[in-house]
Amino acid sequence: MQSSKLFRQALAIGIATSLGFANAAIAAPDAGEYQLGIISDDTGPIASAGISYHDGADLAIKEINEKGLAGEGVTFTLSVKDSASDAARSVQATTQFAADRNILAIICCVLSPNAAGVSQFAIQSGLPVVIYGATREGLPQEPYITSVVALPGPQEVLLAERMAAEFAPKKVAYIKQSDSDIQSARATKVQKVMEAVGVETSAEVFVLGADTDFSGPATQAMVTKPEMIFVWANQTAGIGVITALRQRGYDGQIVTSDIISPPAVFEKSGATVANIPFAVSFQPGVSDSSTAQAFIDAYKADYGKLPDVYAAQGYTAIHLIAQGMKSLDGKPTRKALAEAIWNITEIEHNVYGGQQMENGQARTPGTLIVNWTKEGEVKRWEK
Amino acid sequence: MEMLLDFWAAYSSTVVFAMVNSFIALSMYAVLSAGILSFTTIVFAAIGGFMAAQMIAGAGLPISVAIMGAGLAGLAASVLLAPLFLRLETHWMALASLALVLITRVVVLNAPALTGGVNGMLVPVRVGVMEMAIWLALVALVFYRLHHSWYGLATRAVREDPSVAATMGISTWRIQFIAFAISGAVGGIGGAGMAVTLQFISADTYFLGAAFTMIASTVLGGSFHWFGPIVGAFIFTALPTLMQSIVPSIQDVAKGVVLLVIMIYLPRGLVDPRARKLRKAARERQTLRDHHAPLEPSHDTILPGKTSKEAKA
Amino acid sequence: MQLFLEQLINGVSLGSLYALFGIGFGLVFATLGILNTAHGAYASWAAILGYYAVEWLQVPFPMAVVIGTVGGGLIAIIVDQVGFQPLRGRKGGMLGALITSIAFLIVLDSLAGTATGHQSWAFRPGHYPDGLIDFGPIRVPQMQVIIIAAMLIVGIGMHLLVQRTRIGAAMRAVGWNEEAASLGGVNARVVILITAFLAGATSGLAGVLGGAATANISYQLGEGLLLKGFAAVVVGGFNDVRGTIIAGVLLGVTEVFVSQYLSSTYRDGVTYVLLLGFLFLRPRGLFGSGSFIRA
């Protein structure tokens, strides 16, 4: 009896896939509680962002369970293993999740090296992984590894074009983090745009991610008298650079990336980060879709603070899994879920006002160019 | 049975990491046992690790060949370094080795052709549990044989008192040179082990974090017997995983506290051949006293751990 | 010229932090024979204490500096009495103390992570001296002037304390030989406590000032100081306050100038090669007076 039902289900899935579509009206996953896993960064050097990702994911789970977004009667629980951003511990957590038959899929990884290690193991053991933080190119692998983080590039280009058009500066300086391939690639993109319209590069200054003292680099950039300074580095270093520039009285325009977008950054640095334009795809106060508003309200109610761009990504990762889950029929398997996730071309439930997926990789959603005001609000940036 | 299989599948990688860390700890023990505190193990591990990664990812060689190559590379590096380091006094050697670890990171970051630079290197294959176990068994066998050889005796003499060792005709320089060579080879193997278990290595893989945790696990396990470092490596690898399932929020604090408590109450580590001998001696005395109580009155003032002369005698 | 002057001051100020931090590190190394990897954690904790004093108790910045400095000293005493005291008299050598200090490094860093909510904090603008001082051709941030002044005052004070006072003589005596020192009427226990406190306090001072100047108050603050402070101590000769100060400042200036005139890529390489060079060629440091007695 049992086996014949299974057989029929398998047949149905087979037909559905061979026809190239799964009819949502007929297909439905079996009701029940399913486990997902998160390899979190709750402690360790990047825990400030890591905790946000985790909170966003928790919120998504709660919402999905309340509203049945992953299918009728389908609920998720999230099993947590903290990696402390350590590569070895990330891999160990992956093996433990892979061995636990109850775990259907996992989300993880802020750091690209850890994401690379986890992905390799997950592919070998057939465990679906949705990456929510690491931005290295080429991480997605059909069908098991997908990423909800847009690759860097388009946002920087937009931002740079806007700066070039509105300020028409003659000389700009770039402060880049040389020991991060991603940050330096992003800075180079900006530099290309600026140089293409004839803006002179007055200085290219390199800092290291673990540095703390930026008085030297700040002086080095300022002495060339640039009208504008682009800062591209990780959060701690980037804010350190901006603070150093302001401390030594630089009053030209500073431009940076979404590293200063989290509300916690304004809480820390206050007016120092005000009036610095940056490009993001989600920001409380500016993102105005109904989904975004609902997310912001729920987040505030649960955690007593505003969500940041990282929380939004953790939230999106879980919703991607839910969407994949909903399209399945019967008892979901890891492989079927992975394929369903891989085939998603648009994340329905997102806070970006639209989120396309292509070959398991999120495309850059709508870009907002914004800045902090002195009062701690985020507004669309205007010259 | 199925539960057992699941448990094994979940924790097999912890076991593999523990085995890999055992190599690193044994490499540190190799020099410690000859009276040298040195962090050069991490340097040898880096050399072995990137060597193995290149052999596997670049040349497509099998893991076992790569591990052998890494061991040889580590050996070569240590043989070159040892004469330089042995010119320094012990304390300066510790500092110099630390400086060398710092320099290694800078070199790794700035030699992208060999190491992938800031991007690090992906290693496409993973080592099996059995293969790693065989390697560890082989290395452990070597340490076992050495422990019971003339060389083992000589290292203990050099560690306890170099001047006494000299009067016994033992050349401290030669013993410590050999110790460095062993440390290099084993460290290289350990570094390769890290490459084929993490499957991703970069400058941060071989840095101070590893240096500090590994010297700690070596001493925690016991630096007076070759089995100690292996025990220490297993405990230090398993501890965070264990704490994760009990109280995740204090997993690191717990690691530090365990280390502290052991250093205060068992300063010679968990595996301590002297303590074992003392216990054995005490037991023998106990039996002796039970049989000839009136004849052996003086012995009950001697407590285990209080005197080392008694054990040596 | 203006660039050179500004970078020189950047370098001296950065180096002053290394020196300030290194003084205590070297003192503990020379007097107590401990290679203390937890020394950086004192700096992190001092900065955190200073930060919360300003945020919660609304104390002015100078008071926050005092709180951080004293706090660093007290933590150092606790660490010494809990961790290092049981090892004394066991002749465990440097190894036991090193491992114990690693244990404290793990514990203190991870507690500091919890205390800061794993965030990096900064004194808010206006809560610390964040203005500029005009020196004719160049303008210098107030914090840099404060750091250089603090280093000079503490450095000279510590040098005089160690070389000219009875306490200093006692410290040197304990460093020389603890047993002989107690025979000669020196209370070793008190000397140890004073040494630990001074070391923690100078590290703490470097932590609060550095945290304010670099806008980075987190558990990672101490690590950077530890590596560079360690280099300053080795180059300067570990039981010589003058040597540590000069070496620290030189390292800071070298770092800034290498980034400015060569490349930031080689910056750390130059520092550490210098460090290794000194170890091999001039292991006694700049003034060549150090020696390990407790070995």
Side-chain angles (χ1 to χ4, degrees):
Chain A
M1 188 67 203
Q2 187 69 20
S3 69
S4 82
K5 186 188 168 206
L6 270 178
F7 176 73
R8 254 180 285 138
Q9 273 174 0
L11 199 66
I13 294 170
I15 292 167
T17 9
S18 67
L19 288 175
F21 67 91
N23 192 329
I26 299 171
D30 289 349
E33 189 181 275
Y34 298 94
Q35 266 190 52
L36 307 178
I38 178 172
I39 302 174
S40 65
D41 301 87
D42 290 336
T43 59
I46 48 159
S48 58
I51 293 168
S52 281
Y53 286 107
H54 189 173
D55 286 347
D58 275 339
L59 189 71
I61 298 260
K62 195 176 143 194
E63 187 181 42
I64 288 162
N65 293 349
E66 277 169 8
K67 299 183 184 162
L69 295 177
E72 271 302 305
V74 173
T75 56
F76 285 146
T77 55
L78 189 63
S79 165
V80 183
K81 291 193 192 298
D82 179 13
S83 72
S85 303
D86 178 73
R89 269 153 81 172
S90 301
V91 172
Q92 287 181 57
T94 318
T95 40
Q96 287 160 26
F97 279 136
D100 183 345
R101 287 157 205 237
N102 296 319
I103 298 284
L104 262 184
I106 63 170
I107 62 172
C108 86
C109 302
V110 184
L111 300 180
S112 293
N114 297 1
V118 165
S119 301
Q120 298 230 20
F121 189 87
I123 294 165
Q124 285 154 12
S125 44
L127 178 68
V129 179
V130 178
I131 293 168
Y132 54 57
T135 47
R136 177 164 299 168
E137 223 165 317
L139 284 173
Q141 296 277 324
E142 187 171 6
Y144 287 107
I145 317 295
T146 43
S147 169
V148 293
V149 206
L151 296 177
Q155 283 191 337
E156 284 72 19
V157 171
L158 269 175
L159 180 67
E161 282 171 352
R162 186 99 188 264
M163 293 304 125
E166 299 216 15
F167 286 98
K170 292 194 183 61
K171 277 204 299 190
V172 302
Y174 304 86
I175 300 182
K176 310 172 177 179
Q177 183 185 340
S178 60
D179 59 351
S180 154
D181 52 332
I182 293 152
Q183 296 295 351
S184 39
R186 293 170 82 178
T188 308
K189 287 225 162 77
V190 173
Q191 197 172 349
K192 266 195 189 135
V193 173
M194 299 305 277
E195 284 175 354
V197 295
V199 181
E200 187 198 330
T201 298
S202 71
E204 246 185 295
V205 181
F206 294 95
V207 297
L208 299 176
D211 283 357
T212 49
D213 180 272
F214 299 101
S215 54
T219 303
Q220 208 176 337
M222 279 166 65
V223 84
T224 62
K225 306 235 172 338
E227 293 152 64
M228 188 179 272
I229 298 178
F230 285 93
V231 179
W232 250 267
N234 67 33
Q235 197 174 50
T236 317
I239 294 167
V241 169
I242 294 170
T243 313
L245 286 170
R246 291 291 189 225
Q247 269 184 354
R248 357 203 80 245
Y250 179 70
D251 50 10
Q253 186 67 46
I254 300 175
V255 182
T256 189
S257 66
D258 57 3
I259 51 166
I260 60 167
S261 74
V265 170
F266 186 85
E267 211 184 310
K268 168 187 170 177
S269 303
T272 309
V273 295
N275 299 325
I276 297 175
F278 57 95
V280 280
S281 37
F282 167 80
Q283 187 74 33
V286 184
S287 293
D288 49 9
S289 73
S290 60
T291 320
Q293 205 48 58
F295 168 63
I296 293 165
D297 292 343
Y299 194 92
K300 238 174 123 177
D302 277 18
Y303 302 108
K305 58 182 180 192
L306 288 169
D308 53 24
V309 59
Y310 311 124
Q313 283 170 334
Y315 178 82
T316 311
I318 294 287
H319 272 290
L320 178 70
I321 296 177
Q323 191 177 336
M325 184 80 175
K326 202 171 66 177
S327 69
L328 294 178
D329 194 19
K331 191 175 182 330
T333 64
R334 285 176 176 178
K335 188 155 192 287
L337 180 60
E339 280 163 359
I341 294 174
W342 181 266
N343 288 326
I344 288 172
T345 53
E346 174 155 25
I347 304 179
E348 290 161 9
H349 194 96
N350 70 80
V351 295
Y352 308 111
Q355 174 64 70
Q356 311 278 323
M357 297 283 295
E358 194 179 303
N359 293 328
Q361 169 70 59
R363 307 277 309 266
T364 308
T367 298
L368 309 163
I369 294 178
V370 295
N371 66 279
W372 286 101
T373 65
K374 285 205 160 53
E375 293 72 39
E377 305 259 295
V378 178
K379 289 268 179 319
R380 274 177 197 274
W381 178 79
E382 272 159 39
K383 193 187 166 185
Chain B
M1 188 61 204
E2 197 176 70
M3 230 178 80
L4 213 65
L5 279 175
D6 277 358
F7 184 82
W8 170 245
Y11 294 100
S12 60
S13 78
T14 308
V15 174
V16 178
F17 278 114
M19 290 195 282
V20 170
N21 286 340
S22 300
F23 290 112
I24 309 281
L26 278 171
S27 166
M28 287 189 157
Y29 162 78
V31 275
L32 263 185
S33 65
I36 300 170
L37 169 58
S38 162
F39 298 96
T40 40
T41 288
I42 299 300
V43 180
F44 304 142
I47 292 170
F50 286 108
M51 180 83 177
Q54 287 290 358
M55 287 171 83
I56 295 167
L61 292 168
I63 291 180
S64 49
V65 177
I67 290 181
M68 250 182 275
L72 288 176
L75 176 69
S78 64
V79 167
L80 287 176
L81 268 180
L84 264 178
F85 267 64
L86 288 174
R87 284 170 44 198
L88 298 172
E89 287 170 44
T90 13
H91 286 71
W92 297 121
M93 224 187 297
L95 298 183
S97 69
L98 216 46
L100 203 63
V101 173
L102 303 181
I103 292 174
T104 303
R105 182 186 146 84
V106 178
V107 172
V108 169
L109 283 174
N110 290 299
L114 299 174
T115 64
V118 294
N119 294 335
M121 279 188 77
L122 273 177
V123 183
V125 288
R126 173 182 300 270
V127 73
V129 183
M130 265 330 275
E131 188 171 354
M132 208 76 260
I134 290 169
W135 276 103
L136 183 58
L138 280 175
V139 170
L141 184 70
V142 170
F143 273 89
Y144 168 79
R145 293 302 298 262
L146 284 175
H147 191 80
H148 297 282
S149 70
W150 177 84
Y151 169 78
L153 209 65
T155 51
R156 289 190 284 279
V158 167
R159 184 181 195 174
E160 289 299 327
D161 198 331
S163 45
V164 173
T167 60
M168 288 159 69
I170 299 168
S171 156
T172 303
W173 193 92
R174 234 174 82 200
I175 294 299
Q176 294 186 331
F177 182 84
I178 298 171
F180 256 113
I182 297 169
S183 172
V186 178
I189 293 173
M194 285 162 97
V196 291
T197 45
L198 288 170
Q199 294 191 274
F200 181 91
I201 53 172
S202 67
D204 290 328
T205 314
Y206 307 98
F207 198 46
L208 289 181
F212 287 169
T213 9
M214 292 325 295
I215 191 80
S217 29
T218 307
V219 177
L220 173 134
S223 59
F224 292 86
H225 189 273
W226 60 271
F227 195 56
I230 299 180
V231 170
F234 269 77
I235 290 179
F236 238 59
T237 314
L239 203 61
T241 310
L242 186 72
M243 292 312 293
Q244 178 98 53
S245 47
I246 309 170
V247 263
S249 53
I250 58 154
Q251 45 184 330
D252 284 316
V253 179
K255 196 157 99 177
V257 171
V258 166
L259 189 57
L260 191 62
V261 168
I262 288 180
M263 281 323 293
I264 291 174
Y265 293 102
L266 289 170
R268 289 170 61 95
L270 294 171
V271 178
D272 182 3
R274 193 179 73 182
R276 212 170 54 204
K277 274 184 203 148
L278 283 171
R279 276 196 301 275
K280 200 173 151 206
R283 257 202 316 279
E284 273 164 11
R285 278 196 302 275
Q286 185 68 43
T287 4
L288 219 62
R289 199 168 45 188
D290 287 349
H291 290 284
H292 316 277
L295 296 176
E296 300 276 334
S298 63
H299 274 298
D300 50 7
T301 52
I302 297 161
L303 296 167
K306 280 284 156 77
T307 150
S308 55
K309 287 199 183 91
E310 190 72 18
K312 275 184 197 153
Chain C
M1 191 58 201
Q2 185 203 351
L3 174 67
F4 178 84
L5 270 182
E6 282 191 16
Q7 292 292 41
L8 185 66
I9 290 175
N10 286 338
V12 172
S13 154
L14 179 63
S16 297
L17 280 181
Y18 297 161
L20 211 46
F21 181 88
I23 290 171
F25 189 74
L27 195 67
V28 167
F29 204 13
T31 309
L32 309 181
I34 300 167
L35 179 60
N36 187 7
T37 58
H39 197 69
Y42 305 157
S44 308
W45 266 102
I48 293 167
L49 291 175
Y51 172 74
Y52 281 126
V54 169
E55 285 295 308
W56 290 349
L57 310 176
Q58 271 90 39
V59 301
F61 184 71
M63 193 61 209
V65 173
V66 172
I67 290 176
T69 308
V70 173
L74 292 180
I75 294 173
I77 285 186
I78 294 171
V79 168
D80 187 90
Q81 289 304 300
V82 174
F84 300 137
Q85 188 61 29
L87 305 180
R88 294 200 173 101
R90 271 193 199 149
K91 303 278 171 237
M94 196 164 74
L95 186 62
L98 172 75
I99 305 299
T100 309
S101 81
I102 292 175
F104 276 109
L105 172 73
I106 297 173
V107 172
L108 287 175
D109 267 7
S110 126
L111 288 179
T114 313
T116 52
H118 300 284
Q119 301 275 353
S120 153
W121 296 105
F123 290 109
R124 275 183 241 196
H127 286 194
Y128 72 102
D130 57 348
L132 290 161
I133 300 177
D134 228 320
F135 284 102
I138 56 167
R139 291 190 301 163
V140 180
Q142 285 172 348
M143 273 316 293
Q144 291 195 338
V145 177
I146 293 174
I147 287 171
I148 297 172
M151 183 276 292
L152 286 174
I153 294 166
V154 173
I156 293 171
M158 288 291 279
H159 179 71
L160 293 179
L161 182 82
V162 172
Q163 296 299 331
R164 300 280 161 82
T165 63
R166 282 190 57 200
I167 291 279
M171 279 158 77
R172 277 179 292 146
V174 171
W176 191 257
N177 185 331
E178 196 183 324
E179 278 165 34
S182 2
L183 291 178
V186 173
N187 186 340
R189 187 79 188 259
V190 172
V191 172
I192 287 170
L193 287 178
I194 291 176
T195 310
F197 180 82
L198 286 176
T202 46
S203 170
L205 181 61
V208 191
L209 295 180
T214 60
N216 179 16
I217 297 169
S218 71
Y219 76 93
Q220 284 154 307
L221 169 80
E223 194 187 307
L225 283 175
L226 182 69
L227 299 185
K228 302 297 167 59
F230 161 68
V233 168
V234 171
V235 172
F238 66 93
N239 69 348
D240 187 325
V241 176
R242 284 172 309 166
T244 307
I245 291 172
I246 292 171
V249 171
L250 276 181
L251 283 180
V253 172
T254 312
E255 257 189 42
V256 170
F257 278 2
V258 168
S259 326
Q260 169 72 46
Y261 296 110
L262 266 164
S263 155
S264 64
T265 324
Y266 304 121
R267 191 195 62 197
D268 287 356
V270 169
T271 307
Y272 299 138
V273 168
L274 213 64
L275 167 59
L276 206 59
F278 260 89
L279 276 169
F280 282 110
L281 302 175
R282 217 182 145 70
R284 303 259 177 253
L286 282 174
F287 293 96
S289 62
S291 70
F292 279 101
I293 302 309
R294 310 192 88 221

